[in-house]
Amino acid sequence: RRPSLCFVGLGLAVPCPLQLFEAEARFVAACMTGGSALLTLGAREDWVATRKKQVGDRPQDMHFLGSDTWQHMRDLVRLSGLDENAYADYCRKLTLLQAVYSASAGKKPKLPWEDDWYRDCKYSVDWTAGTWSAVEPE
């Protein structure tokens, strides 16, 4: 059986949704165009069984990615068939994005009614150098 219907963007608790959508779209495109990304039926069924064990009695958590999102994106893009250099570049950029996200998330208040000053930080990223900086509001 070859899947022909895919849903992109269903992940819950995703730190960077657009990057997840990109990784999912790459994977779906590779599967639909007959690339080697499509796992065997047995491997797909095994993945679902493993995921069901992970979520236990909470099937609503099948789409909950949380802290696994970053590795999930890397895995999807690797399976999509990018060549080694392009994949290394993708991972380098994703690692940089993860660092920026973590820094921002670390400034977020614990309670929703607390000051949300972190939203006014200005981030600057140099993708080529692999560096970033943040300027906090005064």
Side-chain angles (χ1 to χ4, degrees), residues 11-113:
L12 300 175
V14 175
C16 294
L18 293 179
Q19 285 69 29
L20 175 62
F21 302 161
E22 175 193 1
E24 290 175 336
R26 284 178 183 270
F27 179 74
V28 167
C31 290
M32 295 296 175
T33 58
S36 61
L38 184 62
L39 302 174
T40 65
L41 176 60
R44 293 191 313 267
E45 289 173 341
D46 288 346
W47 184 91
V48 170
T50 299
R51 188 70 180 140
K52 284 182 177 179
K53 284 180 189 172
Q54 289 171 339
V55 300
D57 293 333
R58 292 185 48 87
Q60 65 268 34
D61 288 345
M62 288 290 284
H63 297 285
F64 182 82
L65 296 173
S67 63
D68 296 334
T69 303
W70 302 103
Q71 187 57 49
H72 180 65
M73 288 188 272
R74 287 179 182 89
D75 293 343
L76 288 176
V77 171
R78 180 182 43 77
L79 289 169
S80 75
L82 277 185
D83 67 58
E84 190 175 319
N85 290 334
Y87 179 68
D89 187 50
Y90 172 85
C91 288
R92 187 178 58 78
K93 289 178 180 176
L94 194 63
T95 298
L96 186 57
L97 182 63
Q98 185 176 0
V100 172
Y101 173 80
S102 294
S104 174
K107 295 176 174 112
K108 191 174 181 179
K110 293 188 185 332
L111 300 172
W113 53 82

